[in-house]
Amino acid sequence: MTETATTRITERPASVRADTDPHRPRFHFVPPSGWLNDPNGLTQRDGVYHLFYQHNPEAAVHHRISWGHATSRDLVHWQDEPVALVPGDSGPDVDGCWSGVLVDDGGVPTIVYSGRHGERELPCVATGSDDLRAWTKDPRNPVVAAPPAGLDLVAFRDHSVWREGGRWRQLIGSGIRGRGGTALLYESVDLRSWDYVGPLLVGTGATDDRSRPDWTGTMWECVELFGLQGGSGARDVLVFSAWDEGQTHHALYFTGEYVGDTFVPDGTHRLDLGGRYFYAPQSFTDDAGRRVMFGWLQEGRPDAAAVAAGWSGVMSLPRVVTLAEDGGLRLAPAPEIADLRRDRVTLTGREMLAGEPAALASGDQLDVELLIALEPGASARLVLRATPDASEETVLEIARETRGRGDARVRIRLDRSRSSLDPAADRGELTGDAPARADGLVHLRLLVDRSALELFVNGQALTARVYPTRADAVAVRLAATGGRVRIEDGAAWRMEDAWQAGAPDEGASR
Ligand code: DQQ
C-alpha cells in the first residue's frame, strides 16, 4: 500500500473504518470503535443486562483504559451507553480504570475496580445511579492503600466480591514471586475499609513445567469464585487467567471446595482451548438463575492492523456455564443467540466416507449444530471459511479415542496454518481434549462471525480468530478420514446481524 493510501485510510473516522472492515463481527459485541478487552461489572438489574468492558474510545490500543458500557434486554442486541468510568485527572486511577465487578450494596450499585497509577494498581470504589449510567468515585479511593506487607508480589489487581455471613469478602489477583499465582482474600463491612485475611490459594506456576497445557502462570488475572449445583452435587469453582511477565496465556479454573479462608482444589482445567482468544472471563448469575460468562477474544493480527482498522477486541457470545456429572464445567452459547438464526438448512442423515468432503453451508456469519457419529478409527475434518480452491481454509479435526473402559476422550485440533494468505495473521495451532459423551456421539456447535470463531465440542469451548483475505472464503465442508462419519442430527443457519453498520456511536443499537 502506498503512503498516500495509508494516510487516506487512517484519516477516515475510526468508526467508519471499523464498520467497513470485513473482519469485524456482526453478531458479537464489539466496541463502537477503539479498543476493548475484559468484560467487567456484569449484572442484570431491573431485567436489563449490563455489560461493562475495558475500553479505550480514543484508539485501538490498550492505553488509559475506561469502562465502556452497553445494555441489552435479550443478551443478543446491545445498546451503547455513555462511558461509565474514565481515568481521573489526578489521583489513584489517573492512568486507567482497570478490571472489576459490580455489586448491589443494599440497593446502591457499587463498582469495585483497579485504579492504575503509574505501574501500580490499587482497589477503588464508585457508586452508581439506578440506571447504572452515572458513577461517582469514592473520595476514600484507593480503598486498600497498598498490597499486603511481607509478601513478594508480582502484581495486585482485579476483583471478585461477594456477601458472606453479613460481611463482604473480596479476592484480588496476584502472584507470589518464586511460587505462582494467587488470589488474596480480604474482608470488609462497608466495601471501603478492608482487612487482609491471607491467600485463598497459591499456585505452583513459578516452578511447574511451562509447556503444560494447564500451566497456571506466575500471576492470576481476573480471579473469580462462585459455587455451582449440578449432576455431581455442589462444587466451588475458582476461575482465573494465567499471566506471566506481561504475556496473557489462557483462562483456567480449579474445581474444589471453598472452606473457611481457603480453597481446596481437586482439579485444574482449561476453560477454553483457544488460549488467549478467550481471556479474562467474568460471569454472573442472571434473573433466571443461570451462570452467564463473557470473555475477551483478543486479536490475532498485528497491532498496526487493528489501529488501521479503527477497532480491536471482540466480546464472546454470552456462555451458560453448567456443572457436569464428571465434576467439570460445560459451556454453551446462551440459547437466546438462536434468535438470530435464519435460512435453516437441514443436514441430518448426511454421510461421509473417507475421501471427498461434503459441502454443508456457505457464509461468514453462520451457526452450525451437528450431532455426529464417528466409526471406530474415523475422524472428522470440519473445514470453515474455505475458498473454492482451498487456498484459504481453517480446519477443525475431531477424533474419538478410547483409552480403556469408560475412559474415552475426543481430541480436537484447530489448524489455522492456511486460515489466511496474510502472512502477518496468527496461524498457531490450538488443540486439546473434549469430554466424551456416554452415547459416543460428538455434539458440535460452530459459531462463525467473520474473524471470530466460537467452537464447542461436547461442551468444551475452543475460541479463535481467523483473517481470511478472500471474499469467497465462505465454505463449510465436512470430510471423513479413516472411516465413516454420519450426521445423526444437524442443521446450519445464516446468522443475522445483531447491530447495524454505520450507526452513530452514541446510543446506537448494536
Ligand atoms: N486487563 C485489565 C487488568 C487485567 C487484564 C487491564 C486482563 O485489570 O488484569 O485492562 O486482561
Side-chain angles (χ1 to χ4, degrees):
M1 193 182 290
T2 63
E3 207 177 297
T4 336
T6 315
T7 315
R8 213 182 311 126
I9 286 169
T10 49
E11 273 169 3
R12 284 151 64 212
S15 56
V16 174
R17 282 183 276 135
D19 276 341
T20 52
D21 178 5
H23 298 303
R24 186 158 158 93
R26 289 301 171 97
F27 63 92
H28 281 72
F29 181 80
V30 283
S33 64
W35 171 273
L36 167 150
N37 60 301
D38 316 351
N40 289 156
L42 302 175
T43 195
Q44 188 176 14
R45 190 175 167 88
D46 301 327
V48 178
Y49 290 103
H50 292 263
L51 168 65
F52 297 87
Y53 58 97
Q54 294 280 283
H55 183 37
N56 177 5
E58 306 291 329
V61 293
H62 186 260
H63 178 65
R64 284 201 94 227
I65 293 295
S66 298
W67 275 41
H69 182 199
T71 51
S72 173
R73 293 213 161 257
D74 61 3
L75 283 175
V76 177
H77 301 91
W78 294 92
Q79 169 92 23
D80 282 331
E81 300 288 351
V83 168
L85 290 178
V86 292
D89 294 333
S90 61
D93 62 5
V94 65
D95 292 310
C97 300
W98 280 21
S99 281
V101 292
L102 192 156
V103 292
D104 186 323
D105 183 12
V108 180
T110 305
I111 284 175
V112 182
Y113 67 104
S114 291
R116 180 166 167 89
H117 187 162
E119 294 294 307
R120 302 183 79 183
E121 294 86 43
L122 290 170
C124 293
V125 165
T127 50
S129 56
D130 251 359
D131 62 3
L132 309 189
R133 287 199 170 110
W135 292 90
T136 308
K137 294 177 188 172
D138 197 289
R140 285 162 283 186
N141 285 340
V143 294
V144 176
L151 286 176
D152 188 8
L153 298 180
V154 176
F156 184 66
R157 60 171 175 263
D158 309 336
H159 314 267
S160 178
V161 181
W162 69 97
R163 193 96 185 129
E164 185 181 322
R167 293 167 76 89
W168 292 101
R169 287 200 138 192
Q170 154 163 227
L171 293 176
I172 300 180
S174 189
I176 301 179
R177 220 174 294 279
R179 291 183 67 190
T182 187
L184 302 175
L185 180 62
Y186 283 76
E187 215 170 46
S188 170
V189 289
D190 63 358
L191 294 169
R192 310 300 193 280
S193 158
W194 290 93
D195 296 323
Y196 175 57
V197 178
L200 183 83
L201 178 68
V202 184
T204 50
T207 50
D208 285 343
D209 173 4
R210 288 164 181 251
S211 63
R212 279 172 53 165
D214 60 354
W215 183 53
T216 58
T218 55
M219 186 258 159
W220 295 347
E221 295 194 297
C222 302
V223 289
E224 185 176 68
L225 177 67
F226 56 85
L228 274 184
Q229 291 278 345
S232 57
R235 312 273 286 185
D236 295 313
V237 180
L238 182 65
V239 174
F240 62 100
S241 292
W243 183 94
D244 176 56
E245 303 283 349
Q247 293 289 316
T248 53
H249 283 258
H250 43 236
L252 298 145
Y253 65 96
F254 291 118
T255 48
E257 203 183 348
Y258 165 51
V259 267
D261 301 336
T262 58
F263 187 92
V264 183
D266 57 22
T268 312
H269 312 261
R270 285 278 294 277
L271 195 53
D272 188 297
L273 299 176
R276 68 182 183 88
Y277 291 109
F278 183 81
Y279 196 76
Q282 190 178 105
S283 67
F284 70 111
T285 305
D286 76 354
D287 290 351
R290 303 178 299 179
R291 173 81 19 199
V292 178
M293 178 178 276
F294 288 85
W296 165 38
L297 277 56
Q298 302 189 22
E299 292 298 322
R301 58 181 174 180
D303 295 350
V307 170
W311 69 284
S312 172
V314 176
M315 196 57 74
S316 74
L317 297 171
R319 295 178 178 183
V320 177
V321 182
T322 51
L323 184 61
E325 289 279 341
D326 62 9
L329 299 182
R330 300 288 185 274
L331 306 181
E336 288 91 329
I337 295 303
D339 292 350
L340 296 172
R341 288 171 164 179
R342 302 287 181 273
D343 309 336
R344 178 192 162 102
V345 176
T346 300
L347 301 169
T348 305
R350 304 279 294 271
E351 256 186 28
M352 265 98 347
L353 292 169
E356 272 304 286
L360 299 188
S362 172
D364 61 1
Q365 289 175 224
L366 293 170
D367 186 353
V368 182
E369 187 163 11
L370 306 174
L371 192 59
I372 58 172
L374 302 168
E375 253 181 13
S379 56
R381 290 181 90 240
L382 239 158
V383 183
L384 304 165
R385 301 276 350 232
T387 58
D389 63 0
S391 62
E392 290 189 324
E393 62 176 20
T394 299
V395 183
L396 177 67
E397 287 178 2
I398 300 142
R400 250 179 75 207
E401 283 182 15
T402 311
R403 292 185 288 188
R405 264 178 94 92
D407 188 22
R409 62 178 180 163
V410 178
R411 291 279 308 149
I412 52 183
R413 186 173 90 95
L414 189 72
D415 178 356
R416 294 183 302 157
S417 59
R418 290 188 301 129
S419 291
S420 177
L421 292 168
D422 176 355
D426 179 27
R427 57 195 60 240
E429 168 183 289
L430 300 165
T431 178
D433 290 348
R437 286 167 44 123
D439 62 7
L441 300 175
V442 179
H443 179 263
L444 292 174
R445 182 83 185 270
L446 316 169
L447 287 139
V448 178
D449 190 4
R450 296 171 150 211
S451 64
L453 298 183
E454 294 199 52
L455 314 176
F456 300 85
V457 180
N458 288 347
Q460 171 64 57
L462 189 159
T463 306
R465 304 290 303 278
V466 291
Y467 303 85
T469 60
R470 283 177 45 172
D472 60 352
V474 289
V476 179
R477 305 191 190 103
L478 182 62
T481 47
R484 185 192 309 260
V485 172
R486 181 183 150 83
I487 302 176
E488 298 294 332
D489 192 9
W493 296 262
R494 173 179 71 79
M495 290 296 270
E496 188 84 303
D497 292 1
W499 52 275
Q500 299 299 312
D505 287 351
E506 285 290 291
S509 189
R510 307 170 68 81

